[in-house]
Amino acid sequence: MDQETALDLVKKGSTVLLLDVPQFTLLGIDTQMFSVGPMFKGIKMIPPGIHFIYYSSSNKEGNEFSPMVGFFISTRSAEVVVRKWNPSEERLVQISEEEEGRYSEGVRCLEFDSHLGPYVLNQYGEWKQLSNYITESTIEKIEPIGGDITIAYESGLIEVPKTAMEKQLIEQLKSNTFSKLEREEHYKHGCYYTPIPNSVNHKGISAEELTAINLDKTKLLEKILIKDYGGEEDSLLGELQFSFVAFMMGQSLEAFKQWKSFVILLFSCIEAPLKTRTRLFSKDFFPLVLDSSVVDGDLPYWVRTLSSRTRKLKVLLETALGWDFADDEDDEFSPVIVPCDEVN
């Protein structure tokens, strides 16, 4: 793109200023991932709207990484979001309003421009398909205290480690800085997801009726929609997308369990409007899950089986419902690796 167009995008787009992030840190925004170099100070030319920032700090050699940490942000045109690396906590933290104001003014004066990696705009469409129902209200309702979503807070979700990898993961999480912070702060760090019951229990109805209700969970879906989402289907889809993004990008087990509960519920609703179920899967859904490289090898074995189950689900939808998921390599999800140390 020409210099005038680029400058216009820099001024109108949002900027995320990320100060003092250690070299070799893996840092992503939406479906893009950066390898942090010595000059990196953030990301520019970001389309206004909802975004997900996630990162994994590295050792000095750049060959071992900590558990992924992520958080959602909502930006407006020309807005500057500032985070600073806290070396003792090994995470990005917010700074005072006064400091943020000074740094924001510096960004608007282009003082940091040569240190900012550009948002890859041709990847924005893929992100929108994964997040178009997530709103500021969705984030405010679900995000944890402090905003950080990380598997490091979720060691309790693996009650009985079965494999050597799960046992190793548990030990890693218990010794992680985030786990120590959680014990010190004495409050819940998990997301506030909507409870999704596995079954329906009704008193005063026959066994046949109870079986029918649990085979077709349309009534349960309708009850949840009214009780927890005020009848707004888009709000439910927003939480569905929130949990999917937090699982796939943020590697959160809690998010995986919530997303899986939604999928089981929606595919157990025989008479529910097809609108909800067809909107459950964007055209990029299956390529995203089937790309095993997206899921980190340190996740427990039962999470990694998602890929094989998704293949079976894809075949089922194609044969039973006649849905067409054309394999188009150009449309598949693939994180964009941008070498930020090349930013001059």
Side-chain angles (χ1 to χ4, degrees), residues 24-45:
F24 302 125
T25 297
L26 295 178
L27 189 143
I29 178 170
D30 305 338
T31 61
Q32 306 167 33
M33 183 167 284
F34 298 80
S35 176
V36 172
M39 297 179 64
F40 178 81
K41 294 187 184 298
I43 307 165
K44 62 184 177 182
M45 300 166 63

Side-chain angles (χ1 to χ4, degrees), residues 58 216 234 240 249 300 324:
S58 165
D216 179 5
D234 286 359
L240 175 70
M249 281 73 170
D324 181 22

Side-chain angles (χ1 to χ4, degrees), residues 194-199 220 224 228-229 236 239 258 261-262 265:
T194 301
I196 308 294
N198 292 323
S199 59
L220 175 60
I224 292 173
D228 297 296
Y229 302 100
L236 183 149
E239 182 167 343
Q258 181 69 2
S261 297
F262 271 125
L265 172 61

